[in-house]
Amino acid sequence: DAKFFQRGKIHELRLELNSDKKDKNHTRKKATLKKIVANMTMGNDMSSLHPDVIACMSIPVLEVKKMVYLFLINYAKGKPEMALEAIPTFRRDVEDPNPMIRALAIRTMGYIHVDKVTACLVQPLRHCMRDQDPYVRKTAAVCVAKLFMQDRHLVESAGFIDLLRDMLIDSNPSVVANAVAALTEISERSDHIQLKLNMSIASKLVTALNECSEWGQTYILESLMFVVPQESGDAEMLAERIAPRLQHANSAVVLTAVKVIVYLMNYMAKEEDIANMCKKLSPPLVTLLSSGPEVQYVGLRNILLVIQKHPDILRNDIKIFFCKYNDPIYVKMAKLEIMFRLASENNVEQVLLELKEYATEIDVDFVRKAVRSIGRLAVKIESTAQKCVQALLELIQTKVNYVVQESIVVIKDIFRKYPNQYESIIGILCENLDNLDEPEAKAAMIWIIGQYADRIENSDELLEDFLFSFLEETVEVQLALLTATVKLFIKRPAAGQDLVPKVLKWATEEVDNPDLRDRGYIYWRLLSTDVAAAKVVVLSEKPHISTETDNMDPVLLEELLLHISSLSAIYHKAPTTFIPHCKPRFLIPSSTL
């Protein structure tokens, strides 16, 4: 068809359309219409041909009608009078004996956003929703959703919502799937229409699953999120009937089935039923990781949500998440996070070996994340802290700049988690001060020097070196220097007495940041009025540190689990934060919840 994509002259195309020559099977008209559509596609204005094109609507050939209708859809918005001329033909076509033409006419009318065409659509659409042919009925169902985007009041007042509900028990699975898709879309966009399905309808929808296309299955599974089990055993029965979808070849069907089962698990009373469902969810989630990298990434982001709510899922499948040499960086990063989440005392040895291997890779971001994961592992599992610290020291010895800096950042957290256990390594850390050029690493090292000022003989000299560039540093480093200098003065007054006035003067007089200024004034007043009180405040017990702070907010997690297999689950953000006027989802109360 490449020959049609050539700039055509309007008068030549008009002559070809109106030619009196014999045209068996309308071959010549088809070719001319193809040229017109091709020119439209290339951005050439063909609207002046509209009387000649509309004249072709009377030709009872599906291929011709498709191209004429495409022409109308393209130009009707800018030239509504063109669509009005076509209304009589639309009315004829929706009663054509050929179901394909009936469906095409109703679909095209749904696309044309012209008030008079919309008004003419109501009666034919109602008729098509009860048409004897399932293809026409399923097209009409989608047309209702399109009409709702144009005129919500019309759809509600004309009774289309009730007609769509009646279609949920249609004998044809494709019709059911389209009706469900339309109702779900309308429910998501309407302020007062809420889709609610009882167990009887849900049971019929699940029966239709077996005969639907994969996208039809996805629509039906999505609609089951609007079923609220009211009696004990309802959720278990529905989940068992959905479970075979977990073996489907299409990843969208699998993830939507996972979403529905995770949702239904909220309404299950018995722990053994929940444990049984967790076992069934593991294999399909693992299978997703044998797909292409894009599908893998989507699967990994969804898995990260599921294992936060149900940690037992995939607990024994951690090897699946070990990174391969040819994985894209975004897949590696997602796998690292899941490896850390699934790490336990039983498998931590394997995980640590993998992380040490990753820390010697060439991709800087991946290496940083691997080093940080080693530190987080030490904080999470006490029994392996010693081995993690040893691994970090080995990495520091490599003298690779970014590895050293990441190691110091996580060692600070290890010191906070396990005080008075690993301070013997401070000397090795101090040998690498010259490598520090990132604010977070500098702040971590300064915190260590201040916290252990009484154990580091030359702590005053080390801090003085950092103070040399105090005014040029970031706020994060300046705050760390201010606190560390005050700690030094409290622990070793003789060593810190010259540094403290200098730092406090800078912090209160030469810096614009209000947080830094306020902290400087607080320390100055504390030290000048009551040194004992200053000691209690500055050297107070640190809050307990744990990896639980990495966990997602429980309310947000519950909401995101209701949006598995959507963009929300990939961003890890509620849909309301990036989609205007989006309805929030939440678990609906029930006696079984």
Side-chain angles (χ1 to χ4, degrees), residues 248-274:
H248 201 281
N250 186 298
S251 52
V253 175
V254 173
L255 274 176
T256 313
V258 168
K259 169 164 66 175
V260 179
I261 290 172
V262 169
Y263 161 71
L264 291 171
M265 283 161 74
N266 292 296
Y267 296 92
M268 293 181 188
K270 297 176 184 173
E271 286 296 326
E272 62 206 69
D273 290 330
I274 294 173

Side-chain angles (χ1 to χ4, degrees), residues 243-496:
R245 301 298 114 202
L246 295 170
Q247 271 77 53
H248 201 281
N250 186 298
S251 52
V253 175
V254 173
L255 274 176
T256 313
V258 168
K259 169 164 66 175
V260 179
I261 290 172
V262 169
Y263 161 71
L264 291 171
M265 283 161 74
N266 292 296
Y267 296 92
M268 293 181 188
K270 297 176 184 173
E271 286 296 326
E272 62 206 69
D273 290 330
I274 294 173
N276 182 38
M277 278 299 147
C278 285
K279 284 180 188 171
K280 289 187 176 180
L281 287 176
S282 293
L285 290 173
V286 167
T287 305
L288 283 175
L289 301 186
S290 59
S291 308
E294 292 83 4
V295 175
Q296 276 188 59
Y297 182 70
V298 171
L300 290 165
R301 295 294 283 173
N302 283 283
I303 287 167
L304 193 51
L305 293 175
V306 174
I307 60 175
Q308 287 185 63
K309 177 72 184 276
H310 301 285
D312 291 336
I313 295 177
L314 301 168
R315 177 72 78 197
N316 301 320
D317 296 297
I318 196 163
K319 283 188 176 179
I320 299 295
F321 300 100
F322 288 174
C323 300
K324 297 173 185 169
Y325 76 94
N326 58 348
D327 280 341
I329 184 65
Y330 56 89
V331 170
K332 286 181 176 178
M333 294 295 217
K335 283 184 174 180
L336 266 183
E337 187 60 36
I338 293 172
M339 279 170 62
F340 167 73
R341 296 265 177 198
L342 294 178
S344 64
E345 292 198 0
N346 298 328
N347 57 28
V348 71
E349 299 278 346
Q350 290 175 302
V351 175
L352 185 55
L353 280 172
E354 281 291 309
L355 292 176
K356 282 165 71 176
E357 194 68 35
Y358 302 157
T360 60
E361 294 275 340
I362 54 170
D363 192 292
V364 176
D365 291 333
F366 182 51
V367 170
R368 284 177 182 276
K369 179 112 177 167
V371 173
R372 198 159 287 221
S373 297
I374 293 173
R376 289 168 70 201
L377 213 54
V379 173
K380 180 180 179 182
I381 303 168
E382 188 172 354
S383 61
T384 196
Q386 177 67 53
K387 288 180 180 175
C388 291
V389 170
Q390 192 56 45
L392 291 169
L393 288 178
E394 288 171 15
L395 292 170
I396 288 173
Q397 299 300 343
T398 63
K399 301 293 182 186
V400 177
N401 187 286
Y402 54 87
V403 173
V404 171
Q405 301 198 76
E406 283 295 331
S407 300
I408 288 173
V409 170
V410 293
I411 284 172
K412 182 198 88 167
D413 291 338
I414 294 171
F415 282 172
R416 277 192 62 185
K417 174 74 174 176
Y418 309 110
N420 305 316
Q421 286 190 43
Y422 301 108
E423 283 74 9
S424 57
I425 68 171
I426 291 174
I428 298 170
L429 302 184
C430 292
E431 292 170 10
N432 293 278
L433 293 182
D434 295 338
N435 291 330
L436 305 184
D437 54 21
E438 293 172 11
E440 193 178 6
K442 279 186 180 180
M445 192 65 222
I446 291 163
W447 181 89
I448 291 169
I449 295 169
Q451 188 67 18
Y452 300 102
D454 49 342
R455 300 191 192 187
I456 303 171
E457 288 180 18
N458 62 336
S459 53
D460 53 332
E461 293 172 17
L462 297 176
L463 282 178
E464 196 166 6
D465 288 342
F466 280 113
L467 286 169
F468 186 73
S469 57
F470 181 85
L471 295 173
E472 289 82 51
E473 296 290 358
T474 61
V475 174
E476 182 184 6
V477 177
Q478 289 175 333
L479 286 166
L481 277 169
L482 175 59
T483 303
T485 309
V486 172
K487 283 180 181 177
L488 171 69
F489 175 70
I490 291 169
K491 292 182 176 185
R492 297 171 58 194

Side-chain angles (χ1 to χ4, degrees), residues 7-45:
R7 190 178 183 87
K9 292 181 180 176
I10 299 287
H11 71 275
E12 289 177 4
L13 292 169
R14 182 177 282 119
L15 287 172
E16 287 178 36
L17 276 179
N18 298 320
S19 171
D20 293 330
K21 292 178 185 176
K22 277 192 174 182
D23 191 6
K24 191 180 179 184
N25 300 326
H26 307 285
T27 309
R28 197 175 291 113
K29 274 195 169 54
K30 285 181 194 174
T32 307
L33 285 168
K34 282 181 182 178
K35 286 179 190 174
I36 293 169
V37 171
N39 273 275
M40 273 167 35
T41 309
M42 293 189 291
N44 302 329
D45 184 13

Side-chain angles (χ1 to χ4, degrees), residues 495-545:
Q497 62 185 2
D498 294 333
L499 298 179
V500 165
K502 190 165 36 173
V503 176
L504 290 176
K505 191 172 188 301
W506 284 336
T508 53
E509 294 177 14
E510 297 188 37
V511 172
D512 294 331
N513 186 275
D515 292 339
L516 189 59
R517 257 203 326 268
D518 289 351
R519 191 182 290 191
Y521 279 124
I522 290 168
Y523 284 157
W524 202 320
R525 285 167 187 162
L526 271 173
L527 292 170
S528 58
T529 54
D530 188 347
V531 177
K535 185 175 183 179
V536 171
V537 171
V538 178
L539 302 181
S540 61
E541 193 70 31
K542 303 289 177 292
H544 180 69
I545 186 171

Side-chain angles (χ1 to χ4, degrees), residues 127-144:
H127 178 72
C128 286
M129 290 178 82
R130 298 195 183 100
D131 197 282
Q132 60 183 9
D133 191 279
Y135 182 76
V136 179
R137 294 201 300 275
K138 77 170 194 170
T139 305
V142 175
C143 192
V144 173

Side-chain angles (χ1 to χ4, degrees), residues 73-216:
I73 291 165
N74 198 44
Y75 291 116
K77 193 173 182 182
K79 299 192 174 182
E81 69 280 358
M82 192 189 301
L84 300 182
E85 290 176 34
I87 287 175
T89 312
F90 280 135
R91 284 180 168 151
R92 280 199 305 274
D93 283 355
V94 291
E95 296 185 5
D96 194 277
N98 185 340
M100 300 295 282
I101 290 177
R102 294 202 297 275
L104 182 63
I106 208 77
R107 181 191 291 132
T108 307
M109 288 175 82
Y111 272 121
I112 296 174
H113 299 179
V114 176
D115 291 342
K116 286 190 177 176
V117 174
T118 303
C120 293
L121 173 62
V122 176
Q123 201 52 45
L125 181 56
R126 191 180 284 120
H127 178 72
C128 286
M129 290 178 82
R130 298 195 183 100
D131 197 282
Q132 60 183 9
D133 191 279
Y135 182 76
V136 179
R137 294 201 300 275
K138 77 170 194 170
T139 305
V142 175
C143 192
V144 173
K146 286 181 194 162
L147 186 59
F148 185 81
M149 309 303 169
Q150 295 176 51
D151 191 337
R152 299 182 177 201
H153 177 70
L154 178 64
V155 169
E156 292 170 35
S157 60
F160 286 127
I161 303 296
D162 291 330
L163 285 171
L164 276 177
R165 287 196 180 111
D166 293 343
M167 292 170 86
L168 292 178
I169 52 173
D170 196 280
S171 57
N172 187 284
S174 296
V175 176
V176 173
N178 280 21
V180 157
L183 280 170
T184 305
E185 188 72 24
I186 290 168
S187 174
E188 292 284 353
R189 291 172 183 267
S190 171
D191 295 327
H192 55 277
I193 297 173
Q194 182 62 47
L195 180 59
K196 289 181 183 174
L197 302 176
N198 57 31
M199 285 302 292
S200 171
I201 294 288
S203 182
K204 287 173 181 170
L205 290 177
V206 174
T207 304
L209 274 174
N210 295 325
E211 299 172 56
C212 281
S213 69
E214 50 200 18
W215 299 116

